[in-house]
Amino acid sequence: MQTIPDELRRRLCQHGQEHVLTGWERLDASQRAQFVAQLDSLDLDELQRLHARRHAKDAIPEFRRLASLPQPVESAAQLAEYRRLGEKAMRAGEVAFLVVAGGQGTRLGFDHPKGMFPVGPVSGKSLYQLHAEKVLAFSRRYGKPFPFLVLTSSATRAETEEFIANEHDYFGLDPNQVDLLCQRDMPALDFDSGKLLLEAPGKLALSPNGHGGTLAALRGYREFDVLEWKLVRTIFYFQVDNPLTDLGDLEFLGRHLAQRAEVSTKILPKKHPKEKMGNLVLVDGNCSIIEYSDLPDDWANRQTTDGNLFFWAGNTAIHLFHLQFLQRVAIDPVGIPWHLAKKKVPYLGPDGKLGEPARENALKFERFIFDVLPLAERWTVAATTRARDFEPLKNATGDDSPDTVRRALIHQAATWLEQAGVTVPRDAQGQIASVLEISPLFALDSQELQAKIKPGLRIGPSLYLA
């Protein structure tokens, strides 16, 4: 019968964490081996240091160090050159697409990975399928098998793999194009005592380590080596809950390459000062993000001398990363801080029963990918619009809900059809009166749609072009 290694027991006792061994005698050999490996992997010194910061807020820089992000201004000639460079990189197959998909659909009342949620207005296609079909369509257009990386969490990995690989046969992509990565977990600590929480005997209460865990996942899966072998230079990073993400924005890609940027980010003008978007701003001349939850009210409402919001630039979570830059920061992630959050976490009590806390009882830890921005020596931003690039799925009802996402997809389809000369039915108020959807496999943009559409197309109550 396996016993607890003396060194592990000593470290647990030294940090006051020996309580996690409660119920050891009820574990079988396999469970004991897994639990020992899990405990051995913990950096208890780091957890102790993080717990000591539990009352501290994320530090924000002094306002005197800040400058409002300049509005991008570029000529038609510059944009044409960007498109040329972007096209060249796509034809060379130098781009990989990485979608962050570690979240569950809990807030949507959907007991599955959020990427499985159906959003296609007519087809009912999932978020995963819409993104994968864009990658497939680009692979066909440029004759290159663009890598499609899916970052999952321990909560979504198994079901995502079953859904993508087995149920849907990779949505037509070559299996060699698709890599499923899994971000690491961090243990939850009791907020007051700093003790590790258990969700069952031999099982720590864990949560994903944030989208900043992308770096450790890429390194841990040796994905950097694979991408280098495939001659990839740029990683297009986006989030699974945003089906409008324009993966083929040649100007965005070309600008990134022309300016030899290590990081590029798409930005949006915020709807109002307290919109729940990260705020891009210059800190000591470097591009940085201040989270909306950290932005003081008086700062949020501050204006520039021309009357615009000082913090006007909202983060879409759409980034381009130079591969070698990510390799560099992944080797030494010390510059990427841990963010602490107080949350409700069910835990195993002294009575051996799982308790549901009445208030926030636990400390969770995450790293954010946008914290690499200040580490970049060269960076660019690109302004975009919500209609083109941004309608995330966050809530069951109201803003950022299935209804608003489907309406955005319908509006995009209507815009493309009207640009192609098709009459789109509208009601007396000018609202679109049909349910419309254009598959990425039919057209990736309005130009491709115009080349394929048949003259005299009439639209009924619904239209699905596939």
Side-chain angles (χ1 to χ4, degrees):
M1 179 178 292
Q2 182 174 355
T3 59
I4 302 160
D6 291 340
E7 174 58 21
L8 175 58
R9 186 187 289 276
R10 184 195 65 77
R11 286 199 300 117
L12 291 172
C13 291
Q14 179 185 347
H15 289 86
Q17 302 288 4
E18 63 272 19
H19 67 285
V20 298
L21 302 176
T22 302
W24 173 267
E25 68 282 355
R26 299 201 297 272
L27 305 179
D28 62 30
S30 175
Q31 291 170 325
R32 290 182 176 186
Q34 290 177 10
F35 194 38
V36 166
Q38 188 179 66
L39 294 174
D40 258 335
S41 70
L42 298 179
D43 186 336
L44 295 176
D45 289 325
E46 180 182 46
L47 290 173
Q48 190 173 52
R49 289 192 298 270
L50 290 172
H51 179 256
R53 290 175 42 208
R54 64 192 180 280
H55 294 296
K57 290 187 175 182
D58 285 341
I60 58 175
E62 297 177 28
F63 192 84
R64 62 180 178 80
R65 298 172 55 200
L66 307 183
S68 185
L69 196 72
Q71 294 271 1
V73 178
E74 290 155 324
S75 68
Q78 283 177 307
L79 296 177
E81 175 63 8
Y82 295 157
R83 286 193 294 273
R84 186 189 71 79
L85 290 173
E87 180 92 10
K88 181 181 178 182
M90 292 291 280
R91 291 199 180 281
E94 295 175 350
V95 179
F97 298 96
L98 189 157
V99 60
V100 180
Q104 295 276 45
T106 308
R107 286 165 60 184
L108 303 170
F110 184 68
D111 192 25
H112 301 284
K114 189 187 285 188
M116 292 171 56
F117 194 89
V119 295
V122 180
S123 67
K125 288 179 180 178
S126 67
L127 290 161
Y128 279 140
Q129 184 164 358
L130 291 178
H131 295 312
E133 287 185 351
K134 289 180 186 180
V135 177
L136 176 58
F138 283 120
S139 296
R140 291 174 176 174
R141 174 184 285 185
Y142 294 106
K144 295 292 182 180
F146 294 106
F148 183 44
L149 315 180
V150 183
L151 182 71
T152 66
S153 64
S154 57
T156 64
R157 170 62 193 256
E159 200 170 359
T160 291
E161 184 169 17
E162 175 66 20
F163 185 75
I164 291 177
N166 300 330
E167 294 181 25
H168 292 279
D169 195 21
Y170 298 97
F171 301 111
L173 289 164
D174 186 321
N176 292 321
Q177 284 180 255
V178 183
D179 280 334
L180 270 67
L181 316 178
C182 189
Q183 64 190 114
R184 296 175 183 172
D185 290 318
M186 280 289 282
L189 302 181
D190 180 83
F191 187 86
D192 295 322
S193 68
K195 290 187 177 297
L196 292 160
L197 297 178
L198 293 170
E199 66 175 46
K203 193 172 184 181
L204 295 174
L206 301 171
S207 60
N209 62 355
H211 44 68
T214 301
L215 298 175
L218 287 169
R219 190 178 182 209
Y221 282 82
R222 300 186 64 83
E223 200 64 40
F224 290 124
D225 296 337
V226 173
L227 294 176
E228 277 193 330
W229 178 76
K230 292 182 177 180
L231 304 181
V232 167
R233 292 178 57 199
T234 304
I235 294 180
F236 190 121
Y237 169 104
F238 63 105
Q239 296 189 330
V240 76
D241 63 7
N242 184 16
L244 258 63
T245 306
D246 182 3
L247 300 185
D249 188 340
L250 298 180
E251 290 177 6
F252 183 42
L253 176 59
R255 178 188 295 100
H256 175 81
L257 297 172
Q259 300 188 25
R260 297 175 52 247
E262 294 178 319
V263 180
S264 294
T265 301
K266 280 198 175 182
I267 55 175
L268 279 174
K270 289 161 54 180
K271 291 180 180 177
H272 54 81
K274 292 294 287 181
E275 184 174 6
K276 293 183 177 180
M277 298 182 76
N279 300 270
L280 273 86
V281 66
L282 300 183
V283 179
D284 300 328
N286 295 318
C287 190
S288 301
I289 289 181
I290 297 177
E291 269 289 73
Y292 65 86
S293 55
D294 296 329
L295 194 67
D297 287 347
D298 59 328
W299 285 22
N301 292 298
R302 190 178 290 244
Q303 296 182 346
T304 58
T305 54
D306 57 9
N308 294 319
L309 283 177
F310 187 96
F311 297 95
W312 67 272
N315 176 31
T316 63
I318 300 171
H319 307 288
L320 295 173
F321 294 111
H322 192 282
L323 183 66
Q324 290 182 351
F325 169 69
L326 285 190
Q327 286 177 297
R328 188 174 79 239
V329 296
I331 290 172
D332 182 14
V334 173
I336 307 171
W338 287 107
H339 295 262
L340 281 57
K342 193 175 183 181
K343 300 285 186 179
K344 281 186 183 181
V345 174
Y347 65 98
L348 195 69
D351 58 0
K353 295 180 181 179
L354 190 67
E356 186 68 47
R359 60 178 181 85
E360 290 83 357
N361 64 310
L363 204 57
K364 285 188 173 184
F365 312 99
E366 291 182 302
R367 279 184 166 134
F368 298 152
I369 193 68
F370 56 68
D371 281 326
V372 305
L373 267 66
L375 305 179
E377 296 178 6
R378 297 174 302 281
W379 51 269
T380 70
V381 295
T384 188
T385 64
R386 294 170 197 270
R388 176 177 183 174
D389 258 313
F390 194 70
E391 187 61 50
L393 178 62
K394 303 287 186 185
N395 308 310
T397 59
D399 293 340
D400 301 334
S401 67
D403 284 344
T404 64
V405 168
R406 292 183 184 115
R407 280 203 302 270
L409 289 167
I410 291 169
H411 181 269
Q412 184 183 71
T415 301
W416 291 4
L417 286 163
E418 289 176 336
Q419 289 172 349
V422 177
T423 299
V424 173
R426 293 182 179 270
D427 61 21
Q429 287 73 43
Q431 300 300 312
I432 300 165
S434 294
V435 181
L436 310 172
E437 184 178 351
I438 300 171
S439 167
L441 299 179
F442 186 84
L444 282 162
D445 48 48
S446 61
Q447 291 78 19
E448 186 174 9
L449 180 66
Q450 290 178 43
K452 289 186 175 181
I453 209 77
K454 294 180 180 179
L457 176 67
R458 298 180 65 112
I459 298 176
S462 68
L463 175 70
Y464 179 48
L465 296 176

